[in-house]
Amino acid sequence: MKRLPLTREQVQSVDQRAIQEYGMLGLVLMENAGRGAAEVIQRSASSGCIIVLCGKGNNGGDGYVIARHLDLMGRDVRVISVVPTDALSGDAAANANIALRADLDVHVVENQAEIEQLVGDADVIVDCLLGTGATGPLRGLYADAVRIANRTQATRIAIDVPTGIDVDTGTADLHTFNADLTITFVAEKIGFGLQQASQFLGQIELVSIGVPRKLLRQHGV
Ligand SMILES: NC(=O)C1=CN([C@@H]2O[C@H](COP(=O)(O)OP(=O)(O)OC[C@H]3O[C@@H](n4cnc5c(N)ncnc54)[C@H](OP(=O)(O)O)[C@@H]3O)[C@@H](O)[C@H]2O)[C@H](O)CC1
Ligand SMILES: [K+]
């Protein structure tokens, strides 16, 4: 059965129902998301330096899980956060703290020159800046990070959604992460099917986050 693409609201509903109705924990969903994404990244880009760009929300939280699992696989991985880590909350803050306590290579950047310097030797850039919680034009360092990443020769991998794409309308920001591969969770998003978005997605890989099949079926997935 072809899995139906979901709207932002439907994806968030799956997330919330898995927690509220099935008793799953957000941290478990994030761990499944990050570990699954790290395994796809390892298969897709089996060598070189990996830079994970992290934002403020749970998309950024996925990035800290991804970095931890890639480090466990022996990869050379570095996290660049465009916000101070104490600005994170909930599951994202929990995973940022685990990464910091584990002495993973985490850099908080304050300007585009710092981003350019750190991104320079990346063979792979993973976009964990914004996911389904993005609203409006990219603000501040998010736009700079995307523009700088797009100028490199690195393989670009978007997590859940290429930053700059609106998951419902498919519209692309002036600065949209130009992905070679998009690793998306639970289901593809409605906006992926629209022309403006399709040029930024690259190949799409779907990663399960462990949500029960009964719940997915109720959403046509
Ligand atoms: N069930 C699932 O699919 C799971 C998904 N996961 C991941 O979680 C994200 C969604 O996380 P969320 O925290 O809701 O949203 P984001 O991470 O996309 O963004 C959050 C914050 O970013 C700021 N923001 C929003 N728009 C912009 C913008 N245009 N420019 C700059 N910053 C922006 C905003 O914070 P402010 O306080 O600054 O307004 C947002 O709060 C999903 O995509 C998956 O990756 C879970 O990991 C597992 C389950
Ligand atoms: K993203």
Side-chain angles (χ1 to χ4, degrees):
M1 176 178 90
K2 173 89 174 108
R3 288 180 164 203
L4 296 176
L6 297 183
T7 64
R8 170 189 287 112
E9 186 186 358
Q10 288 170 326
V11 168
Q12 290 170 342
S13 163
V14 167
D15 214 2
Q16 288 316 316
R17 290 183 64 192
I19 294 167
Q20 288 156 13
E21 295 175 23
Y22 288 78
M24 298 190 80
L25 298 175
L27 270 181
V28 169
L29 299 176
M30 186 172 282
E31 190 74 15
N32 289 340
R35 181 171 186 171
E39 288 166 356
V40 173
I41 293 166
Q42 176 68 352
R43 283 200 304 273
S44 310
S46 55
S47 66
C49 168
I50 301 173
I51 299 276
V52 183
L53 299 172
C54 287
K56 176 180 181 178
N58 284 340
N59 194 242
D62 293 347
Y64 289 96
V65 178
I66 291 169
R68 177 162 34 92
H69 284 281
L70 288 171
D71 180 66
L72 277 164
M73 295 172 197
R75 295 303 297 270
D76 174 10
V77 58
R78 180 181 307 166
V79 172
I80 294 177
S81 175
V82 296
V83 295
T85 49
D86 59 10
L88 276 63
S89 60
D91 299 338
N95 274 295
N97 289 331
I98 292 166
L100 291 166
R101 290 186 190 134
D103 292 336
L104 293 190
D105 196 359
V106 177
H107 299 260
V108 176
V109 290
E110 295 177 349
N111 56 58
Q112 61 182 336
E114 288 178 7
I115 300 172
E116 279 165 348
Q117 188 191 354
L118 287 163
V119 160
D121 52 9
D123 297 294
V124 181
I125 298 177
V126 180
D127 161 23
C128 291
L129 291 166
L130 291 175
T132 55
T135 53
L138 293 191
R139 302 195 292 264
L141 283 179
Y142 288 78
D144 295 329
V146 167
R147 185 169 38 77
I148 292 164
N150 284 344
R151 281 206 310 245
T152 69
Q153 297 306 307
T155 298
R156 286 184 292 273
I157 300 175
I159 299 303
D160 208 25
V161 192
T163 293
I165 293 291
D166 181 292
V167 288
D168 286 343
T169 64
T171 54
D173 186 274
L174 177 64
H175 302 291
T176 291
F177 188 80
N178 196 2
D180 300 295
L181 165 67
T182 294
I183 299 168
T184 199
F185 305 123
V186 178
E188 291 196 20
K189 311 321 190 241
I190 284 278
F192 288 9
L194 300 167
Q195 198 278 332
Q196 207 184 21
S198 57
Q199 61 189 298
F200 293 102
L201 291 164
Q203 182 187 336
I204 299 173
E205 292 251 0
L206 189 59
V207 161
S208 163
I209 61 171
V211 166
R213 198 156 56 88
K214 175 184 170 186
L215 176 53
L216 295 180
R217 278 209 312 267
Q218 290 165 351
H219 286 269
V221 175

